[in-house]
Amino acid sequence: MHGLNTGASLLAMSLNIRGLNLGGALTIMTLGVAVAPFLFGWGVANTLAHDLVPFGGEQGQRGMLVAVLVTIVVILMLSWVRVPSSLTIALVAAIAGYGFVAIGIVDWGAIAKVLVVMFIAPVASGSIAYLISRLLLPLLPLGSVRKYLETGHLIAFGLLSLAYGSNDAQKMLAVAMIALGVGGTAGLAELWWVIVICALLFGLGSRLGVARMSKTISTGVLPAAPTDMVVTEVSTSVAMLVSTGIGSPVGLAQTMSGSLIGAGLSQGYGRIRWQEVSKILIAWLVTLPVTFGLASLIGVLVQ
């Protein structure tokens, strides 16, 4: 599911710029998801699997299963009524909701930290994109920007794939860690095959979903030019890698939307599709309470 949605969106965006074909982009993205945990660690996965709620044993497996199922149900429900949603926000809320009722122990400080970083990341990435578009690009000769755009896209997409694998994609790894009963001190010998399988399944889902996402790539917050897309890739990568450094998960779609808004604002307020921006804000406001409430209700029934 993660590949069908987020991965397919990322893949469709990469194909909107010359320089990468489908096979090349899919390979880079899948490798990024597989390699990133070995380069940057799996702190984000540990945060989701162990820091928010002390999941452990059969109770932990049951709790994560409920959180994942509730997340899927809420995402599908919101998509059906055409309200955009965030898989990351939904999963965090579901973990907190179930843990609060069924386990009785929730690290609200860790929850608050994750949510604050999650909301700051799009603002930070948008600010970076604005500064690059407004201050850096005008200093470069127009001919050189066009000449090296494809090379820049290749490098930026590779960086974004690594950033994604170090952060947002680790939701898959967190679920696998709980299912296998692997603790936060696990090493490469215990997890490498899980990471590889998650990356391959993610790549498969992305390939299956790219055709559908390609039809909607032009309906986002900004009618982006190729230069805007490369700036977005760079600024989103920076924001996500910083979030990875502090072990906090952030959503790729929301962070990338912030970057697109920043790139668009550098060229004028009117370039932004503000109706689409409002839908993203609605998604944040709706997803949190709905997912928390549904997971809490199931927690009561389980008890």
Side-chain angles (χ1 to χ4, degrees):
M1 181 175 179
H2 205 31
L4 283 170
N5 288 277
T6 307
S9 297
L10 183 58
L11 193 58
M13 185 199 73
S14 73
L15 299 176
N16 208 35
I17 312 172
R18 292 180 58 187
L20 276 175
N21 58 31
L22 177 59
L26 184 60
T27 300
I28 291 173
M29 190 173 66
T30 304
L31 285 175
V33 172
V35 171
F38 298 95
L39 296 178
F40 302 102
W42 41 81
V44 172
N46 277 326
T47 296
L48 291 169
H50 304 294
D51 293 352
L52 306 181
V53 174
F55 284 142
E58 291 184 5
Q59 186 183 48
Q61 293 173 338
R62 183 168 56 248
M64 183 58 79
L65 176 62
V66 169
V68 170
L69 292 177
V70 167
T71 298
I72 293 173
V73 169
V74 170
I75 295 298
L76 292 177
M77 286 172 52
L78 294 177
S79 299
W80 184 64
V81 297
R82 299 181 182 273
V83 175
S85 52
S86 167
L87 201 63
T88 304
I89 292 176
L91 183 60
V92 170
I95 290 173
Y98 183 87
F100 177 64
V101 172
I103 299 178
I105 303 175
V106 178
D107 189 338
W108 294 111
I111 295 287
K113 171 190 170 183
V114 167
L115 293 179
V116 167
V117 173
M118 203 177 295
F119 294 143
I120 289 177
V123 178
S125 65
S127 300
I128 295 170
Y130 180 88
L131 292 174
I132 293 175
S133 300
R134 190 74 171 180
L135 301 179
L136 181 59
L137 288 183
L139 299 178
L140 303 176
L142 182 59
S144 66
V145 173
R146 292 175 176 172
K147 181 179 179 181
Y148 296 109
L149 183 63
E150 293 183 11
T151 302
H153 171 45
L154 178 63
I155 296 172
F157 184 72
L159 180 62
L160 181 58
S161 297
L162 283 173
Y164 176 69
S166 75
N167 194 291
D168 197 21
Q170 293 201 12
K171 291 193 291 290
M172 299 179 290
L173 183 56
V175 173
M177 289 171 69
I178 293 296
L180 297 172
V182 177
T185 58
L188 293 177
E190 296 176 75
L191 289 177
W192 70 268
W193 62 275
V194 178
I195 296 171
V196 171
I197 291 175
C198 286
L200 292 175
L201 290 175
F202 173 79
L204 176 61
S206 301
R207 178 63 183 87
L208 294 175
V210 67
R212 176 175 58 89
M213 288 299 178
S214 296
K215 298 177 182 178
T216 63
I217 195 68
S218 61
T219 62
V221 299
L222 175 72
T227 304
D228 298 325
M229 301 299 284
V230 174
V231 169
T232 294
E233 291 172 338
V234 172
S235 54
T236 301
S237 299
V238 172
M240 294 195 77
L241 287 173
V242 171
S243 301
T244 298
I246 60 179
S248 186
V250 294
L252 174 71
Q254 284 69 38
T255 308
M256 187 174 290
S257 295
S259 298
L260 286 168
I261 292 170
L265 285 176
S266 70
Q267 303 162 51
Y269 181 89
R271 286 207 67 205
I272 308 299
R273 295 177 176 135
W274 293 106
Q275 184 177 4
E276 297 300 320
V277 176
S278 67
K279 290 181 180 179
I280 295 174
L281 296 177
I282 291 172
W284 288 345
L285 295 175
V286 171
T287 304
L288 270 172
V290 169
T291 312
F292 183 92
L294 185 55
S296 298
L297 176 60
I298 295 178
V300 171
L301 297 176
V302 169
Q303 289 297 90

